[in-house]
Amino acid sequence: MSDPISRLDQFRADAPGAPMNSAAEARRRGDQIRRRRRAVVTAGVAAVAAVVTGPVIFLSTGLGDKGIDPAPATSESAVASSPSGSASASDLTRANLPTEDDLVADDPYPAWVQQQTYDGEGTDTYNDCLTESLGDRGAETTFRRDFVAKPGEEMADAAGTLNAVVAQFDSADEAEKVSINLSDAAISCSGVDGAELAGTLPIESRVISSGSIDVVTYQPDDPDMNAVWETATAVVAAEDRVLVMTRKRGVQDYVPPTTLQTSAVNAAYRMIGAAPPDEPSPDPTATGSPTAELLGEANLVAAGDLPPLDRFESALGWNRYTPTPDVPTLACQKEWLSSLSASAKVATDYRWDTDSAMVGQVHVAVLEFSDANAAGAAYNEIMEWMEVCPANKLGVDPNVTALPMDVSSDLDAGPKRAARSQATYPGLEGGDSTWFETELVAEYETRLVLVGYGELAGPCPPSTGDKEDPCYQPDQPDSWPDRVLAIEKAAVTAGISDLR
């Protein structure tokens, strides 16, 4: 059976040197994603897809002769992308473009700063994979902003470039249709010879109707360039608007894609005139504004708060990463968490790697609901998932080994109720390789915390303290139960920290 969780070894965001997909696998993934999107459009369902990009590398990008414009002015050479040449039919403005505060710069590279802002899409190519302008696709109005890594800072020349284009269309349906077509164009990247898809992942936000971040790599024209070009394209539709964010840089072929996800989500909020998730809204009652108290990074357990997986040595320890689209938070998850209609969500994923394989994973999601009744209904839905553990469209087909049991008194954080179950599913390596996963859902006031923790073992579980058990191994530490509980406690404590 295909094991999507084990496949994630190809998409590590924080582990330098992780291998990318083979060309054949990347093309297969791209074909699969395109089929899914077409099916979604046919059914009239909002498509949600996303992608990752990766830690940057060192190469000069030829930006030294471009001046920084700290207070961008309209470019005289910029061309309006509206078919009529007028923005009168649209209320989109430059204020709907992302600012440097919305962008996440990946360590060790300096922060992004504004270089230039345009009315329209500009006269030069801002994305190598998109050969048709947004104006040609029916946009009423467009604006563009270019960013560069802060000049003079260490590694600035290696960061590449980043730009964002926002466009307004005549309807939300049209905007979503255009965003899906743009994503398909980014995957195929027909504008560049020999481009290969390097990765694609899902993105979820309360304001986004469809979105993707697609990463391709291709050979440079310069034979002396000791790396390949990487273009990451984030496409997001929200209301009647579309965002296209492009990151281009030089990378060596062993460097994994980095992430544009947080930057794209922040920019999507900015595009529709709402405060990004990490900023308080000045008017939480205004239409389209996020709730006054949004979830944030403080609600996610940190790597340093997770106990070590002591059965395996790891040079990195718990390593945060961005998984592929096929990976749910819980193996027994029937649907994507967006089906629960939470008002806000944050999530994180960690992995434990040996020299040769990933052997442990922690998936955490924190969901905020409109009221306690909505949170309780979602809790009951997740409990049903954990009991039935269906073979599902998320690509996981687990076997339940322990039905949900109440563990609320064990967590110390004081949840109203909490339940844990266990499931197994085969590892990618075949044979007796098996993922052993514990799944937790905890409810506290208007919030749920979900924790999926898996260890690779097999055919026996990671440890057992029962000497009568055929799987008992006296040379293995019986620390699995304590490790599970410690991970759950840390995740729940962080998830509800601002409510206590």
Side-chain angles (χ1 to χ4, degrees):
M1 185 197 76
S2 173
D3 178 17
I5 292 183
S6 292
R7 283 206 310 270
L8 296 179
D9 187 55
Q10 302 166 22
F11 288 93
R12 288 178 287 182
D14 298 325
M20 290 183 178
N21 276 349
S22 67
E25 173 64 13
R27 283 191 292 270
R28 186 195 66 78
R29 257 323 262 150
D31 292 341
Q32 182 186 56
I33 290 166
R34 283 191 289 273
R35 286 195 299 272
R36 288 178 181 173
R37 288 185 178 134
R38 292 187 186 109
V40 166
V41 172
T42 302
V45 180
V48 180
V51 156
V52 228
T53 63
V56 276
I57 221 156
F58 45 80
L59 301 170
S60 170
T61 54
L63 302 174
D65 59 346
K66 293 186 178 181
I68 300 301
D69 182 1
T74 303
S75 170
E76 295 181 358
S77 62
V79 294
S81 63
S82 170
S84 63
S86 170
S88 60
S90 170
D91 57 359
L92 190 74
T93 70
R94 289 183 172 202
N96 300 113
L97 286 164
T99 68
E100 51 263 78
D101 293 336
D102 300 324
L103 305 179
V104 177
D106 36 0
D107 185 62
Y109 304 96
W112 296 103
V113 295
Q114 295 183 34
Q115 182 192 40
Q116 178 69 308
T117 301
Y118 304 87
D119 293 337
E121 297 177 64
T123 56
D124 61 323
T125 300
Y126 59 84
N127 185 299
D128 291 344
C129 295
L130 305 181
T131 57
E132 187 177 2
S133 72
L134 293 175
D136 291 339
R137 292 179 181 270
E140 297 175 351
T141 308
T142 58
F143 294 93
R144 168 181 162 187
R145 177 164 289 159
D146 295 347
F147 299 86
V148 293
K150 189 173 183 179
E153 298 287 329
E154 186 177 1
M155 304 293 288
D157 287 343
T161 60
L162 187 146
N163 64 67
V165 179
V166 294
Q168 185 159 342
F169 292 82
D170 61 5
S171 70
D173 288 343
E174 183 65 19
E176 185 172 355
K177 183 187 302 182
V178 169
S179 75
I180 294 172
N181 290 337
L182 287 169
S183 180
D184 285 345
I187 289 174
S188 60
C189 198
S190 59
V192 177
D193 292 336
E196 294 188 356
L197 182 64
T200 183
L201 289 176
I203 187 170
E204 292 184 354
S205 164
R206 201 162 56 86
V207 304
I208 293 174
S209 60
S210 68
S212 76
I213 309 172
D214 304 296
V215 187
V216 298
T217 58
Y218 43 94
Q219 293 296 320
D221 294 332
D222 182 359
D224 295 328
M225 183 175 174
N226 63 335
V228 297
W229 284 117
E230 176 191 85
T231 292
T233 307
V235 182
V236 171
E239 298 181 357
D240 59 351
R241 298 174 179 180
V242 171
L243 161 76
V244 179
M245 183 176 287
T246 305
R247 167 83 182 279
K248 182 176 179 180
R249 63 185 183 136
V251 297
Q252 291 178 331
D253 55 10
Y254 59 77
V255 174
T258 189
T259 179
L260 277 178
Q261 187 167 355
T262 301
S263 298
V265 170
N266 289 345
Y269 276 84
R270 189 77 66 186
M271 177 174 65
I272 63 171
D278 59 350
E279 292 185 13
S281 172
D283 182 7
T285 63
T287 302
S289 291
T291 56
E293 294 184 2
L294 286 170
L295 301 171
E297 192 73 14
N299 298 113
L300 295 173
V301 62
D305 294 329
L306 300 174
L309 206 172
D310 55 11
R311 296 190 301 119
F312 300 99
E313 293 185 2
S314 172
L316 294 173
W318 286 110
N319 169 37
R320 194 168 181 173
Y321 78 110
T322 306
T324 69
D326 294 332
V327 177
T329 302
L330 307 177
C332 289
Q333 196 173 307
K334 182 180 180 181
E335 303 283 351
W336 293 121
L337 297 182
S338 57
S339 69
L340 300 172
S341 300
S343 58
K345 170 196 161 189
V346 290
T348 190
D349 304 88
Y350 295 98
R351 59 187 291 162
W352 187 277
D353 292 285
T354 65
D355 291 339
S356 58
M358 177 176 62
V359 294
Q361 293 185 91
V362 177
H363 305 288
V364 176
V366 183
L367 308 178
E368 177 71 33
F369 293 86
S370 57
D371 54 44
N373 289 334
Y379 180 96
N380 293 336
E381 177 72 10
I382 294 168
M383 282 281 287
E384 182 177 339
W385 294 351
M386 291 163 60
E387 290 173 354
V388 178
C389 206
N392 54 63
K393 65 183 182 182
L394 307 185
V396 179
D397 186 9
N399 296 312
V400 176
T401 58
L403 292 173
M405 61 178 294
D406 180 22
V407 293
S408 54
S409 60
D410 297 335
L411 295 178
D412 299 337
K416 174 182 177 181
R417 51 181 176 166
R420 180 197 300 134
S421 65
Q422 293 184 2
T424 63
Y425 46 96
L428 183 65
E429 296 80 3
D432 292 332
S433 174
T434 302
W435 281 101
F436 290 81
E437 176 165 316
T438 58
E439 308 186 330
L440 178 90
V441 55
E443 178 186 5
Y444 187 89
E445 296 182 2
T446 58
R447 193 167 296 175
L448 298 185
V449 180
L450 279 61
V451 184
Y453 172 54
E455 289 189 24
L456 188 64
C460 293
S463 62
T464 174
D466 184 0
K467 294 184 179 180
E468 303 300 322
D469 191 319
C471 284
Y472 176 70
Q473 302 175 63
D475 59 333
Q476 288 287 342
D478 186 27
S479 55
W480 185 36
D482 292 338
R483 186 160 52 250
V484 169
L485 182 57
I487 289 171
E488 292 172 346
K489 283 183 177 181
V492 172
T493 299
I496 65 175
S497 59
D498 56 320
L499 300 181
R500 300 176 67 196

